[in-house]
Amino acid sequence: MELTDERKLELMQSAIKQAALSRAEDSRDHPRVGAVLADKEGRELVTAYRGERGTGDHAEFLLLEKAKERGIDPFGCILVVTLEPCTTRGPGKVPCATRIRESGIERVFIGMLDPNPPILGRGETILRWADIAVERFPGFLIKEIERDNARFIQRFKHAHLPESSRYVQTRITEVVTEEIRKSGFIIEGIPMDWDLTLEDVKEFCDAGAPESLRMRLGDILKNARAEAFDRKYENYTYEEDVRGLGLRWRNEIRDLLVSLDAAEYTRRRVIDVGIGNGLEAPRLLDSIRALTIVDIAERSLKRAARILPTARIVQSEAESLGDIESGSQDIYLSFRTYQSSLFDRGQAIREAHRVTRQGGIVLVSVSNGFLGRDGAFVPGHVLPRSSIVDRNRPFELAEEIRRKLSLFRFEGVGVRTGSGEIFIYGRRAR
Ligand SMILES: [Zn+2]
């Protein structure tokens, strides 16, 4: 029997119940953590919570101890835990991530990430690198756990990206503002809001500009955004991108396509929207026979075209795929584009729906973090106008996209957390 989504949720809720029982060993604010060990089919074997035996023992440690006492071998089992397993502990103590790795556990569901900077994202990464299948709780359950741990979370500052990071240095909205000014417009007071679209920016362009200039505003805005993306992504590398870690993310996408009945996707009509400079193409897109690649950034797209010489090249916005015929595509792909600044997700999904044939697949992803200088994964998105990383934002976005796909009556809509991004998918209704 497969582990069903309903059973997964029950196990997560059971772990959250365990967490509520947690006992602190002193007066400081400690996290409340609950853990559940289940077999492959999701039958609960052992539960534990932090401090269960009166000392400050971690839930995962106690869980494995209890399993051992009862003669239960965790090999091949599922671990469900409300907090990311620790990666550093006091002298003489083995971190939980190490214990889990050595236990033979095959699959781990993690609730909240540990806000403690030396651990944040590393616990999850260590498990993934040990080829354990790691998934996160859905966003609404993570929120619940964070609410129950509010005082513990407050002890830690937000994660920051270094000022030298590409994501801090090149801000799409700032480049767009600069480009619009160059064209002669006075532009003032653009709010640095996450959900701002290009259409919204119009409202902040000088209404007193000459008519001849105002008539060109639409094109000026589009060109400004294209230029901003070129500046940011033309020479993009995977230096700060988890895809630089190898083939893992390609395998994640292939696995998803298999589960969506598209194992032979290379023989279908596929469109990739927001291809950037084409870094993601090798060993994923390069064997597709009928491939269309789309991006707004001209120089980036030229580079992508060199990597994919047989693809149809369309320089266009995700929000208006005018040149692509309705219902012409079997599979619509878009990786790490839907979280972009000045991007209209609703309109992009409307276009995805239009170009995909009935019964066709839409698979998009939003990035879920960055690769730090030390190779550790920093989960989250950078807040506008700062270097602060908000770790909940990617999950909120994924949820928004999931809802939008449902509104367009996509079927089998789902969300899956990958190693560096969150995938959202569905099938266009027949
Ligand atoms: Zn631990």
Side-chain angles (χ1 to χ4, degrees):
M1 197 181 73
E2 258 282 281
L3 178 65
T4 62
D5 286 347
E6 287 80 9
R7 189 64 201 133
K8 271 186 217 171
L9 277 182
E10 283 166 12
L11 290 170
M12 291 167 187
Q13 267 146 355
S14 172
I16 291 172
K17 272 195 195 126
Q18 288 292 314
L21 302 170
S22 293
R23 285 203 300 257
E25 66 275 23
D26 53 38
S27 59
R28 292 195 304 152
D29 289 317
H30 294 285
R32 295 173 158 191
V33 189
V36 173
L37 188 72
D39 66 14
K40 270 188 185 12
E41 286 79 36
R43 278 182 292 263
E44 212 169 276
L45 301 172
V46 191
T47 62
Y49 56 89
R50 190 183 189 283
E52 191 173 345
R53 291 185 172 168
T55 50
D57 287 323
H58 288 184
E60 306 94 311
F61 168 77
L62 287 170
L63 188 78
L64 291 172
E65 282 297 298
K66 284 168 86 174
K68 201 196 298 174
E69 288 161 15
R70 295 181 199 172
I72 296 167
D73 184 357
F75 189 86
C77 283
I78 298 169
L79 166 69
V80 184
V81 60
T82 58
L83 176 71
E84 178 177 21
C86 66
T87 53
T88 54
R89 293 224 60 190
K93 288 187 173 173
V94 181
C96 293
T98 309
R99 284 188 196 278
I100 295 164
R101 195 178 58 198
E102 288 166 359
S103 69
I105 285 172
E106 263 179 16
R107 200 167 174 189
V108 177
F109 292 91
I110 295 175
M112 179 180 101
L113 292 177
D114 194 325
N116 188 9
I119 297 173
L120 178 62
R122 286 175 179 74
E124 196 176 334
T125 306
I126 283 177
L127 299 180
R128 284 216 164 92
W129 286 6
D131 276 325
I132 293 170
V134 183
E135 284 184 60
R136 297 282 302 280
F137 287 25
F140 69 95
L141 285 182
I142 293 176
K143 281 217 170 105
E144 189 178 328
I145 297 166
E146 292 196 332
R147 230 182 4 252
D148 293 344
N149 283 283
R151 282 167 58 107
F152 167 69
I153 292 170
Q154 273 168 15
R155 280 173 43 191
F156 304 100
K157 291 198 188 98
H158 283 287
H160 281 260
L161 281 185
E163 289 298 322
S164 59
S165 164
R166 175 187 298 264
Y167 298 104
V168 178
Q169 288 280 316
T170 312
R171 302 292 187 142
I172 296 292
T173 311
E174 284 167 21
V175 180
V176 165
T177 310
E178 184 191 317
E179 289 294 308
I180 294 170
R181 285 206 181 107
K182 267 196 225 161
S183 71
F185 269 101
I186 297 169
I187 178 166
E188 274 168 347
I190 296 190
M192 287 293 152
D193 188 280
W194 249 327
D195 295 321
L196 198 73
T197 65
L198 205 56
E199 201 54 34
D200 297 329
V201 173
K202 264 188 189 164
E203 304 300 319
F204 298 91
C205 292
D206 173 27
E211 184 59 23
S212 58
L213 201 56
R214 286 202 61 77
M215 278 177 58
R216 286 173 39 229
L217 181 57
D219 286 338
I220 290 170
L221 284 169
K222 280 183 191 171
N223 291 339
R225 182 169 70 161
E227 172 60 27
F229 276 92
D230 250 340
R231 237 186 267 177
K232 190 162 182 173
Y233 294 110
E234 181 190 2
N235 298 310
Y236 189 74
T237 65
Y238 283 167
E239 194 188 344
E240 290 181 77
D241 189 318
V242 75
R243 289 173 292 184
L245 295 177
L247 294 174
R248 192 173 296 271
W249 80 276
R250 288 187 178 85
N251 293 337
E252 286 169 3
I253 292 163
R254 286 220 190 91
D255 287 349
L256 262 170
L257 287 168
V258 167
S259 69
L260 291 166
D261 274 338
E264 68 334 341
Y265 72 96
T266 56
R267 295 204 294 270
R268 307 232 190 141
R269 294 165 300 172
V270 180
I271 184 169
D272 186 299
V273 175
I275 184 102
N277 65 6
L279 267 189
E280 68 197 26
R283 277 176 285 190
L284 181 67
L285 305 176
D286 49 7
S287 48
I288 296 173
R289 290 181 207 165
L291 175 68
T292 303
I293 58 174
V294 179
D295 206 279
I296 50 168
E298 186 179 7
R299 300 193 299 275
S300 303
L301 194 56
K302 275 193 179 133
R303 292 184 64 152
R306 284 204 290 273
I307 297 172
L308 296 160
T310 59
R312 176 185 174 195
I313 318 289
V314 177
Q315 192 188 342
S316 185
E317 307 177 294
E319 297 99 327
S320 73
L321 299 170
D323 289 347
I324 320 279
E325 302 77 12
S326 297
S328 63
Q329 304 297 319
D330 298 313
I331 301 173
Y332 171 104
L333 302 173
S334 181
F335 300 120
R336 296 169 168 248
T337 296
Y338 277 58
Q339 80 284 341
S340 302
S341 305
L342 304 181
F343 190 87
D344 189 335
R345 282 179 286 281
Q347 187 53 34
I349 289 169
R350 190 181 300 276
E351 280 293 84
H353 179 263
R354 182 182 70 77
V355 303
T356 307
R357 72 162 164 83
Q358 290 180 359
I361 293 164
V362 168
L363 169 59
V364 305
S365 76
V366 292
S367 74
N368 186 21
F370 312 87
L371 204 55
R373 291 277 187 257
D374 55 355
F377 184 57
V378 185
H381 287 168
V382 197
L383 284 162
R385 269 197 188 138
S386 90
S387 58
I388 295 174
V389 179
D390 181 320
R391 50 180 185 275
N392 288 325
R393 173 70 178 169
F395 291 93
E396 288 162 10
L397 268 188
E399 179 58 20
E400 181 195 324
I401 294 166
R402 190 192 64 73
R403 276 200 317 269
K404 288 200 159 111
L405 286 178
S406 301
L407 279 178
F408 277 94
R409 291 193 283 173
F410 278 85
E411 292 167 349
V413 174
V415 174
R416 193 187 289 185
T417 315
S419 50
E421 56 212 293
I422 307 173
F423 299 99
I424 310 100
Y425 51 85
R427 187 179 290 281
R428 194 184 151 176
R430 283 174 203 279

